[in-house]
Amino acid sequence: MSAGRRSGLSGFPEWTPAQQWVELEVLDSLRRTFELHGFSPLRTRSVEPLSQLLRKGETDKEIYVLSRLQADDESGAPGGGDATGRDDRLGLHFDLTVPFARWVVENAGHLTFPFKRYQIQPVWRGERPQEGRFREFVQADIDVVGAGDLPEHHEVDVALVMAEALGRLDVGDVRIRVSHRRLAEGFLRGMGVPDPAAGLAALDKLAKIGPDRVADLLSLAGAGPDQARACLELAGLRGPGALDRALDLADRHGAGNADVTAGAERLGALLAAAAEVSPGVVEADLSIARGLDYYTGTVYETELVGHESLGSVCSGGRYDDLASAGSQRYPGVGLSIGLTRLLSRVFASGVQASRPVPTCVLVAVDSEERRPASAAVARALRARRIPADTAPTAAKYGRQIRHADRLGIPFVWFPSREAGTPHEVKDIRSGEQVTADPAVWLPPDADLRPVRTG
Amino acid sequence: MSAGRRSGLSGFPEWTPAQQWVELEVLDSLRRTFELHGFSPLRTRSVEPLSQLLRKGETDKEIYVLSRLQADDESGAPGGGDATGRDDRLGLHFDLTVPFARWVVENAGHLTFPFKRYQIQPVWRGERPQEGRFREFVQADIDVVGAGDLPEHHEVDVALVMAEALGRLDVGDVRIRVSHRRLAEGFLRGMGVPDPAAGLAALDKLAKIGPDRVADLLSLAGAGPDQARACLELAGLRGPGALDRALDLADRHGAGNADVTAGAERLGALLAAAAEVSPGVVEADLSIARGLDYYTGTVYETELVGHESLGSVCSGGRYDDLASAGSQRYPGVGLSIGLTRLLSRVFASGVQASRPVPTCVLVAVDSEERRPASAAVARALRARRIPADTAPTAAKYGRQIRHADRLGIPFVWFPSREAGTPHEVKDIRSGEQVTADPAVWLPPDADLRPVRTG
């Protein structure tokens, strides 16, 4: 039962039942934390029109397009084009933020703002299979969206909620690294980099491709050698004092401006507020840019301490322009846990559940004729919330016990053979066997359901 | 907040937050029941190669095929064809049984049989949009699969588990209607119908198109008028005595044979066992054929009493040939709840949650400077599992109370303004306001989380 991920399709992981319990525990824990903080549950459809998925123009997310196998027309396009020439074929969503933004605009008339929701669903990226990246994975998102404006304290709140949520998962310490788009873009503009957006996209790759290749990209974005060096110096700033050094760097290069100051101020306020509630969890890291994404303010990435090579397990930021209808804007801020990536690391370290099945008690079956008596015992146990099953066949007791043992079921129940004789229950780990009444017997709490091990 | 289903794409329903709570409660309840009965959780990937989805040949399920928008090659096929000429493009699964069968074969070496799993996931059908059918919907499945053989008592067990699971949802009474493929096919063959499979597919449409058009289809399947009449008479048998009348009908037409007898016997045993545990829930209905599906034994459909026009909300059957590897067969039996269909009816009757947000207490904010004091109160409440949020802005108290009221949040908390003065909490429904300590105050249990109303 320790199969690991055996799906034959690369990029489409599947967990074993013993791992699935851990995932369920994680999902339940996230849900509880999000709900404690006032986030409402939401699930959106898995598909959006391509026009919606591509609305913000360039994206680095690969998209899966759907077509009907039994399509009636040659094009295979479910929606077909419309009069405006938009591409209204359907695609699978590549994140949960774009569908959420669409949903908010559609439902704005029925919502009270700021609206807070959590959303836990699979997303899909049509990556080339050979890259070995996930093509289907679960994200767990929280977002707060305002109508017209969104108070800045929400940029602190979402980081703290995620810190708490990740902390409760008991998967190790996390560090949420933050930067601010205005600070970084302002600095690039102040330095005279002709294409600040391209510059940001270059800096975003620092951890992946290293400073030399980022410098090449910066020069493609129009930066001269001195400008590239200063940008790389900015991106190298991290931890306590990073903001002061950033302002100092801007001063030295005459790159200071209102955006740099405002970005640094907001980031500073966020760091101070977070430090008060959860010291050491949130830190500045000015290399974070989240290149091609739709963010306009604070940006976040999260590393699992000791597993930095895994990359960010929880990212996001503030977006002011993602959702709008007419002149009404819906600015938001949110964070998204890459749950599949996180779990893949947890499972690689050997974590799984103590047993693959929920069953706490296997009720032995004496003979097929007496199966109803065993089924009645199982029902009595279930009535008191004890997961119970009957043996699949009336084999010899030894074989029935081995069946329980193979599944990690701790107890085997032997029903009374005739009126007046007692039932007995055996702890198959210790071998201890005692008489018991199906209406009152209780297993130890620790045996009631599968628990995390490893 | 009573938005209803407002998704702009027909066939892709989305629930409001107030409905989403009901769905979550339903999902949790199903999970608990399935786990109490020893079913392990499983989630499979959403996609399968088309060769897998089409493996059993003809299907009436419409399939969505995926292609990468940024495909490198002209074909757009992620997997491309292989040497055997199979179509290895990827498609979204149209049910959870086909992926489960594939998963069982892939993981058989790590499983202990019979293997019981539940699986709750969306499935997709590429229906023509104008038909107004669901194109994305959630199914909740249970299946038991054996290696080589599967004891017949599982055909009773799964029906009783589903009866219990549906009963606990508190959505009304359900009636599980059962028939047996061997009985129906044996009868058609015994009657001399040249193409019994086509005959079954015709009978399956009885409720939808009526006896006259079924008779037309039967004649296309090669049945003469007398044969068609007898088949329709068989399909009309339902409820107590249906099996005896079926055997009688077979006798009268000289259509009796070993399959008819065996099918009737197995169905009779199932009905007797089910009647003993849950009287009145499972009944014979010989119109049920499940035409193009992969079933070989018992077949099930389930109607919501009083909402028969909704169609079957939980269907399935026994399949002996769905999964196999070499000479090893994995026969199974399972049932699948069409959760989206069921919930659409529940929501249409006005059921939703008492409030759209989890928040039980909104902590008022005196001024932005004193927001940390309000946040500390919210933290203290959350530490005792009370969902709490702080007011979005330090507006006048009246406005903060109206914000809570619009969201259905029952309590507003006013933090102590200075050391030594007490906190106060107001039930905004009654207007009652009392002093309270954030470390000990508790709301009534009924207010702790949203509950079902309507």
Side-chain angles (χ1 to χ4, degrees):
Chain A
M1 216 62 169
S2 57
R5 298 182 279 127
R6 298 176 57 77
S7 163
L9 283 177
S10 94
F12 293 92
E14 290 181 327
W15 311 131
T16 65
Q19 293 169 335
Q20 203 85 63
W21 287 108
V22 178
E23 186 183 59
L24 281 178
E25 179 197 307
V26 161
L27 292 171
D28 286 344
S29 171
L30 290 176
R31 219 175 108 184
R32 274 195 304 273
T33 305
F34 299 157
E35 292 176 3
L36 275 177
H37 285 267
F39 290 82
S40 296
L42 182 69
R43 204 181 63 229
T44 58
R45 64 192 189 215
S46 300
V47 308
E48 299 292 336
L50 281 186
S51 56
Q52 186 69 32
L53 294 174
L54 299 171
R55 207 167 57 84
K56 299 305 289 179
E58 194 180 7
T59 176
D60 59 349
K61 310 299 190 298
E62 303 263 351
I63 294 171
Y64 275 126
V65 186
L66 304 189
S67 55
R68 295 176 49 228
L69 182 62
Q70 296 95 334
D72 308 296
D73 50 333
E74 297 289 276
S75 76
D82 68 6
T84 64
R86 289 183 310 172
D87 188 344
D88 270 349
R89 285 182 294 166
L90 299 178
L92 292 171
H93 57 216
F94 54 77
D95 72 6
L96 302 177
T97 313
V98 170
F100 174 56
R102 184 266 310 157
W103 184 90
V104 165
V105 171
E106 275 182 10
N107 292 276
H110 305 271
L111 299 176
T112 300
F113 291 96
F115 176 68
K116 304 169 68 169
R117 79 88 177 81
Y118 73 89
Q119 191 169 351
I120 305 178
Q121 282 181 245
V123 304
W124 294 267
R125 308 251 169 112
E127 310 273 356
R128 296 168 60 199
Q130 58 270 39
E131 288 176 21
R133 308 180 76 170
F134 292 128
R135 298 196 280 171
E136 174 175 28
F137 54 98
V138 175
Q139 289 193 331
D141 284 27
I142 56 170
D143 282 85
V144 186
V145 164
D149 66 341
L150 182 72
E152 280 171 30
H153 67 84
H154 290 294
E155 293 173 50
V156 185
D157 295 348
V158 291
L160 294 178
V161 172
M162 275 303 195
E164 183 179 323
L166 289 164
R168 282 181 199 223
L169 297 188
D170 195 21
V171 294
D173 291 334
V174 295
R175 194 176 294 120
I176 300 180
R177 297 143 61 211
V178 293
S179 185
H180 200 285
R181 273 281 178 96
R182 279 184 76 179
L183 169 58
E185 265 187 59
F187 183 87
L188 289 167
R189 205 174 321 101
M191 285 297 300
V193 174
D195 185 347
L200 270 188
L203 289 177
D204 199 40
K205 298 193 169 69
L206 186 56
K208 211 178 277 177
I209 64 177
D212 292 348
R213 289 182 56 201
V214 169
D216 294 345
L217 291 175
L218 286 169
S219 94
L220 286 174
D226 285 354
Q227 293 170 316
R229 230 183 337 265
C231 292
L232 280 166
E233 196 176 338
L234 181 83
L237 299 175
R238 179 169 175 172
L243 284 185
D244 288 341
R245 280 177 283 149
L247 291 171
D248 191 49
L249 186 69
D251 273 353
R252 269 192 285 134
H253 289 275
N257 55 42
D259 281 330
V260 170
T261 313
E265 243 172 43
R266 293 187 177 186
L267 206 51
L270 187 158
L271 290 164
E276 202 164 307
V277 178
S278 297
V281 173
V282 182
E283 72 167 28
D285 181 343
L286 302 190
S287 71
I288 293 170
R290 304 210 60 76
L292 289 173
D293 286 323
Y294 29 64
Y295 300 116
T296 50
T298 310
V299 283
Y300 314 82
E301 294 196 351
T302 308
E303 57 194 18
L304 205 52
V305 176
H307 299 278
E308 288 76 5
S309 65
L310 188 58
S312 178
V313 294
C314 178
S315 312
R318 172 161 183 144
Y319 43 91
D320 281 339
D321 308 313
L322 188 60
S324 61
S327 62
Q328 178 67 292
R329 287 188 327 152
Y330 299 97
V333 61
L335 278 157
S336 172
I337 301 178
L339 205 59
T340 304
R341 181 185 288 191
L342 186 64
L343 286 173
S344 73
R345 180 55 58 101
V346 168
F347 294 149
S349 74
V351 167
Q352 58 173 7
S354 53
R355 57 181 189 257
V357 296
T359 317
C360 176
V361 181
L362 183 76
V363 184
V365 175
D366 214 20
S367 66
E368 286 305 325
E369 292 68 43
R370 292 187 36 74
R371 175 172 293 281
S374 298
V377 170
R379 271 199 304 283
L381 294 171
R382 285 182 207 123
R384 292 180 300 108
R385 307 315 248 152
I386 303 166
D389 203 356
T390 49
T393 58
K396 286 195 178 140
Y397 278 171
R399 246 185 88 192
Q400 298 190 40
I401 292 169
R402 276 199 299 282
H403 180 73
D405 188 41
R406 268 199 300 273
L407 292 170
I409 299 171
F411 296 96
V412 174
W413 190 284
F414 302 100
S416 157
R417 279 172 195 244
E418 53 195 81
T421 66
H423 297 260
E424 298 194 8
V425 61
K426 184 192 197 82
D427 181 331
I428 66 170
R429 298 158 300 186
S430 66
E432 190 193 12
Q433 185 162 336
V434 297
T435 62
D437 179 345
V440 298
W441 178 84
L442 278 177
D445 262 4
D447 289 331
L448 202 52
R449 56 199 72 257
V451 294
R452 201 194 289 200
T453 64
Chain B
M1 215 62 170
S2 58
R5 298 183 278 126
R6 298 176 57 78
S7 164
L9 283 176
S10 94
F12 293 93
E14 290 182 326
W15 312 131
T16 65
Q19 293 169 335
Q20 203 84 63
W21 287 109
V22 178
E23 186 184 60
L24 281 177
E25 179 196 307
V26 162
L27 292 171
D28 285 344
S29 171
L30 291 175
R31 218 176 109 184
R32 274 196 303 273
T33 305
F34 298 157
E35 292 176 4
L36 274 177
H37 285 267
F39 290 83
S40 296
L42 182 68
R43 202 181 67 231
T44 58
R45 62 193 188 214
S46 300
V47 307
E48 299 291 336
L50 282 185
S51 56
Q52 185 70 32
L53 293 175
L54 300 170
R55 207 166 59 83
K56 298 306 289 180
E58 194 179 6
T59 175
D60 58 350
K61 309 299 189 298
E62 303 264 351
I63 294 172
Y64 275 127
V65 186
L66 304 189
S67 55
R68 295 176 48 228
L69 182 61
Q70 297 93 335
D72 309 298
D73 51 332
E74 298 289 278
S75 76
D82 68 5
T84 64
R86 289 184 310 174
D87 188 345
D88 270 349
R89 284 182 294 166
L90 300 178
L92 291 172
H93 56 216
F94 54 76
D95 72 5
L96 302 177
T97 312
V98 170
F100 174 55
R102 184 265 310 158
W103 184 91
V104 164
V105 171
E106 275 182 10
N107 292 276
H110 305 272
L111 299 176
T112 299
F113 291 96
F115 176 69
K116 303 169 68 169
R117 78 89 177 81
Y118 72 91
Q119 190 168 353
I120 305 178
Q121 283 180 243
V123 305
W124 293 266
R125 309 252 169 113
E127 310 273 358
R128 296 168 61 198
Q130 58 268 41
E131 289 177 20
R133 307 180 76 171
F134 291 129
R135 299 197 280 173
E136 174 175 26
F137 53 98
V138 175
Q139 289 194 331
D141 283 28
I142 57 170
D143 282 86
V144 186
V145 164
D149 66 343
L150 181 72
E152 280 171 31
H153 67 84
H154 291 293
E155 293 173 51
V156 185
D157 295 348
V158 292
L160 294 178
V161 173
M162 275 305 195
E164 183 179 323
L166 289 164
R168 282 181 199 227
L169 298 189
D170 194 22
V171 294
D173 290 335
V174 296
R175 194 177 294 119
I176 301 180
R177 297 143 61 212
V178 294
S179 184
H180 200 285
R181 273 280 178 97
R182 279 184 77 177
L183 168 56
E185 265 188 57
F187 183 87
L188 289 167
R189 204 174 320 101
M191 285 297 299
V193 174
D195 185 349
L200 269 189
L203 290 177
D204 199 40
K205 298 193 168 67
L206 185 55
K208 210 179 279 178
I209 64 177
D212 292 347
R213 291 182 54 202
V214 169
D216 294 345
L217 290 176
L218 285 168
S219 97
L220 286 175
D226 286 354
Q227 292 171 316
R229 229 180 340 265
C231 293
L232 280 165
E233 196 175 339
L234 180 83
L237 299 175
R238 179 169 175 172
L243 284 184
D244 288 342
R245 280 176 284 147
L247 290 171
D248 191 50
L249 185 70
D251 274 354
R252 272 192 283 134
H253 290 274
N257 55 41
D259 282 328
V260 171
T261 314
E265 241 172 45
R266 294 188 177 187
L267 207 49
L270 187 158
L271 290 165
E276 202 163 309
V277 179
S278 298
V281 173
V282 182
E283 73 166 30
D285 180 345
L286 301 190
S287 71
I288 292 171
R290 304 211 60 76
L292 289 173
D293 286 323
Y294 28 62
Y295 301 116
T296 51
T298 310
V299 282
Y300 314 83
E301 293 195 354
T302 307
E303 58 194 16
L304 205 53
V305 176
H307 300 277
E308 288 76 5
S309 64
L310 187 59
S312 177
V313 294
C314 178
S315 312
R318 172 161 182 144
Y319 44 90
D320 281 338
D321 307 314
L322 187 60
S324 61
S327 62
Q328 178 67 293
R329 287 188 328 152
Y330 300 97
V333 62
L335 277 157
S336 173
I337 301 177
L339 205 59
T340 303
R341 179 184 290 192
L342 185 63
L343 285 173
S344 72
R345 182 53 59 102
V346 169
F347 294 149
S349 73
V351 168
Q352 58 172 4
S354 53
R355 57 181 189 256
V357 296
T359 317
C360 176
V361 182
L362 183 74
V363 183
V365 175
D366 213 21
S367 66
E368 286 305 326
E369 292 67 46
R370 292 186 39 73
R371 176 172 294 281
S374 298
V377 170
R379 270 198 305 281
L381 294 171
R382 285 181 206 123
R384 291 180 301 108
R385 306 314 248 153
I386 304 166
D389 204 356
T390 49
T393 58
K396 287 196 177 139
Y397 277 171
R399 246 184 89 192
Q400 298 191 39
I401 291 170
R402 276 199 300 283
H403 180 73
D405 188 41
R406 269 198 301 272
L407 291 170
I409 301 172
F411 296 97
V412 174
W413 190 284
F414 302 100
S416 158
R417 280 172 194 244
E418 52 194 82
T421 65
H423 297 260
E424 298 193 8
V425 62
K426 183 192 197 82
D427 182 330
I428 66 171
R429 298 158 300 186
S430 66
E432 190 192 13
Q433 186 163 334
V434 297
T435 63
D437 178 346
V440 300
W441 178 83
L442 277 177
D445 262 4
D447 290 330
L448 203 51
R449 57 198 71 258
V451 294
R452 202 194 290 201
T453 64

